[in-house]
Amino acid sequence: MGEIIQAPLFFSQRLYLACLAFLGVLMVTVNRVNMSVAILCMVRIDTTNSSLDTRMQNSTSSCRGDVISASTSQISSRPEFDWDKQARSQILSMYFYGYICTQLLGGWLASRYGGIKVWGVSMLICGVSAVLTPLCARTHIYLVYAARVVIGMSTGVTFPSIQAILGHWAPEYEKSKLSALIYTGLPFGSIVTFSISGVLCKYGFDNGWGSIFYLSGLFTFIWAVAWFTLTAETPAQLRWISDRERNFIETSIGKSGAIQLGPIPWLSILKSSPFWAIVVAHFFSAYVFYTLVILLPTFLKESLNFDISQNGLLSSVPFLSEFVTSLFVGYLADTFRIKGWMSTTMVRKTFQVFAFVAPAISMACVGQVTCEYRHLAVVLICITSACTSFSKAGFLVNSLDLAPRYAGILFGIHNTFATVAGMITPVIAGVLTPNRTTEEWGNVFYVCSAGSVVGAILYWFLGDGELQEWAVPSTSTFKNDILTGHTNVAFKTSETQLNTLEMNMRDKSDIKSLPF
């Protein structure tokens, strides 16, 4: 195959694409989380709490003042709706009902039509739905349900599409870097939403809360237009990419990494132990993530008795720690692989197990913290969030190792299980905290800790970081499809290159080292 001529990552088109994808993930997170903040401003909520006296009796004197302040503070002076607790819970859950529906579909569509197109169209739909949310809310609550379902469905294709895009654009030793950069949009989106939505709630136009959805939709729409304008499905289709960078990417990932060939090997996928290791890791990692995203504000108020005015800022701090850590996790993982200090399999296992074990310890400690040491609890939660960022060089990029051609489909499957974790997280927490005491909230974190330990053990023994045999196309199918043009991506491939690839593919003992 010859020596691969490197093309620097900085100021490259693949880095620009990753940065734009980062902004896209940020907007996905904003549209997912904004309702959690906006609904506090939209609804007339009875701030009286029947268990308040009981909790005050169990609180130290240093915490009682905050309990009183939290119970009497006004979240919004201009609420418009009288939705009860059940209706509010349904509104928040409708996103996930839509989100789970398009995981497999998103992976298939991205593999069939290209991740750039699928994600871009879905974000246009998301932006329109967000802008229409205030009108839906003022018309009928069922329309709010529908809008949240549509937003969930449209953003559900995001991560399967990203995997398909990385299959075209991420060179072998840059997968962790580019993936980590893109996925830092998750914590940064939470920071932006928690920080800005509260301000808009109080000072924004259209009664405050309306501006949250208008701006979310507007910036989502602007991003989608930029996405279609500045990106392409493959390096070969991007007009202004340099020949050096295009050749480097295509040589590094191999032609087959960007082509969908033949029927999807469903049976082989379902029989693959490394794939199920990813499923398990994603499920338990998502359980911890959604515990922080959905339940952290409630925990800060009910268990640690923080004032509502402090809640938004404190809720964003753990995600800030995750964002900072994520910036170097991908670089560190790829450095270990390039230097030969660790194999890809060992890098994936080590980083992912650390992303489970360290948070398991810190969350177990959070369960022991009482109100008088509540600031220690916040520090421990920040440690938890920072350590979970190591999964960005673990299971989150592992699908690209196992089967780059089917990465979008694989991600769609295991992200479906992760979405189930998001749906059951508040249900389990509700069962564990009937009286909302500090001791009961400790049980919530113990469950997270136990799940993380289980995830670490299974991933360590079942995980793998090498190309799987079922993900390699047959020689005849590979050659015929490129020469006849029966692919969804256009490539200029010479007969000599094909013959070289064919010779490599015949050597089954070298299957792990194939360039795709």
Side-chain angles (χ1 to χ4, degrees):
M1 294 297 291
E3 184 180 355
I4 297 177
I5 300 177
Q6 295 283 339
L9 177 61
F10 288 102
F11 304 108
S12 67
Q13 294 302 318
R14 61 191 186 278
L15 180 60
Y16 294 152
L17 183 142
C19 291
L20 196 55
F22 158 82
L23 294 176
V25 173
L26 185 152
M27 293 313 305
V28 167
T29 307
V30 168
N31 283 285
R32 174 167 56 188
V33 180
N34 58 8
M35 179 60 78
S36 299
V37 180
I39 201 168
L40 299 177
C41 312
M42 299 167 65
V43 182
R44 301 181 186 93
I45 302 176
D46 184 6
T47 58
T48 60
N49 190 335
S50 59
S51 64
L52 179 62
D53 292 337
T54 301
R55 290 194 294 121
M56 286 184 63
Q57 291 173 2
N58 295 331
S59 301
T60 64
S61 58
S62 63
C63 299
R64 292 181 183 179
D66 288 323
V67 177
I68 297 173
S69 177
S71 65
T72 58
S73 63
Q74 296 296 318
I75 299 174
S76 175
S77 59
R78 301 170 291 175
E80 298 183 31
F81 308 104
D82 292 309
W83 299 331
D84 58 22
K85 183 177 181 180
Q86 181 179 2
R88 299 195 300 270
S89 298
Q90 288 176 340
I91 290 174
L92 295 176
S93 64
M94 284 299 165
Y95 174 90
F96 293 99
Y97 290 120
Y99 188 78
I100 198 173
C101 292
T102 52
Q103 295 302 308
L104 287 173
L105 178 62
W108 181 82
L109 288 174
S111 297
R112 178 67 177 83
Y113 299 104
I116 298 289
K117 298 184 185 70
V118 172
W119 192 16
V121 170
S122 70
M123 290 297 278
L124 288 174
I125 297 173
C126 174
V128 171
S129 301
V131 170
L132 292 177
T133 298
L135 176 62
C136 294
R138 288 166 177 145
T139 303
H140 200 284
I141 191 173
Y142 287 162
L143 293 180
V144 183
Y145 294 162
R148 294 303 293 175
V149 169
V150 171
I151 292 174
M153 293 178 67
S154 59
T155 56
V157 306
T158 296
F159 299 107
S161 295
I162 289 174
Q163 293 294 304
I165 293 167
L166 289 174
H168 302 338
W169 281 90
E172 174 62 25
Y173 292 108
E174 292 179 1
K175 289 186 290 187
S176 299
K177 297 188 196 74
L178 296 177
S179 296
L181 172 59
I182 293 170
Y183 290 124
T184 52
L186 288 168
F188 198 73
S190 298
I191 295 170
V192 170
T193 306
F194 284 125
S195 302
I196 297 179
S197 293
V199 176
L200 291 175
C201 225
K202 186 174 182 180
Y203 301 105
F205 56 92
D206 193 24
N207 210 17
W209 63 267
S211 62
I212 296 175
F213 298 105
Y214 292 134
L215 293 178
S216 297
L218 174 62
F219 283 106
T220 299
F221 188 86
I222 292 174
W223 177 88
V225 173
W227 180 250
F228 280 122
T229 304
L230 302 175
T231 62
E233 292 291 348
T234 68
Q237 294 176 324
L238 190 64
R239 291 173 298 175
W240 48 79
I241 191 173
S242 67
D243 291 338
R244 179 182 180 183
E245 183 178 4
R246 184 185 67 251
N247 292 332
F248 167 63
I249 295 173
E250 291 180 351
T251 305
S252 178
I253 68 175
K255 302 296 182 182
S256 69
I259 302 175
Q260 179 65 58
L261 300 174
I264 300 170
W266 291 110
L267 183 59
S268 297
I269 291 174
L270 296 177
K271 291 168 60 178
S272 173
S273 297
F275 168 69
W276 285 106
I278 299 176
V279 172
V280 171
H282 202 168
F283 178 86
F284 287 112
S285 180
Y287 192 92
V288 174
F289 172 77
Y290 285 118
T291 296
L292 297 180
V293 170
I294 300 174
L295 301 175
L296 183 57
T298 305
F299 167 71
L300 293 176
K301 179 181 178 182
E302 293 183 353
S303 178
L304 303 184
N305 299 326
F306 277 108
D307 184 88
I308 192 66
S309 62
Q310 302 170 288
N311 207 318
L313 178 60
L314 290 173
S315 296
S316 66
V317 170
F319 299 105
L320 178 60
S321 65
E322 180 183 354
F323 171 75
V324 173
T325 307
S326 298
L327 294 177
F328 71 87
V329 165
Y331 176 82
L332 188 64
D334 281 338
T335 299
F336 285 169
R337 297 170 65 217
I338 293 173
K339 298 292 186 181
W341 297 339
M342 288 185 181
S343 66
T344 300
T345 297
M346 188 56 62
V347 166
R348 301 293 177 238
K349 287 184 176 183
T350 302
F351 277 62
Q352 186 55 54
V353 169
F354 180 81
F356 274 135
V357 174
I361 296 172
S362 59
M363 285 185 294
C365 294
V366 171
Q368 297 288 328
V369 176
T370 56
C371 180
E372 57 267 31
Y373 300 106
R374 55 188 181 165
H375 290 92
L376 174 61
V378 175
V379 173
L380 290 171
I381 292 173
C382 289
I383 294 174
T384 296
S385 190
C387 292
T388 57
S389 67
F390 279 75
S391 65
K392 292 177 177 60
F395 79 86
L396 275 175
V397 72
N398 204 183
S399 295
L400 288 168
D401 301 319
L402 303 184
R405 297 183 305 128
Y406 305 114
I409 294 172
L410 297 186
F411 202 97
I413 298 173
H414 58 77
N415 202 31
T416 300
F417 286 89
T419 305
V420 172
M423 297 170 68
I424 67 174
T425 295
V427 176
I428 295 177
V431 173
L432 295 175
T433 58
N435 301 310
R436 295 174 289 181
T437 64
T438 300
E439 291 75 16
E440 291 173 345
W441 272 105
N443 294 331
V444 173
F445 289 98
Y446 296 149
V447 170
C448 290
S449 182
S452 295
V453 172
V454 172
I457 294 173
L458 292 178
Y459 192 83
W460 181 262
F461 286 104
L462 299 180
D464 195 358
E466 303 298 336
L467 178 69
Q468 301 298 292
E469 185 172 358
W470 50 263
V472 180
S474 64
T475 305
S476 58
T477 302
F478 176 68
K479 186 173 181 178
N480 180 69
D481 277 4
I482 293 181
L483 290 177
T484 58
H486 292 162
T487 67
N488 65 312
V489 181
F491 285 108
K492 297 179 181 178
T493 306
S494 67
E495 184 72 24
T496 302
Q497 289 173 311
L498 290 172
N499 290 335
T500 303
L501 289 172
E502 182 176 348
M503 292 176 61
N504 285 340
M505 293 174 69
R506 286 173 181 165
D507 184 5
K508 295 300 182 180
S509 65
D510 195 38
I511 194 170
K512 301 297 185 182
S513 63
L514 288 178
F516 43 84

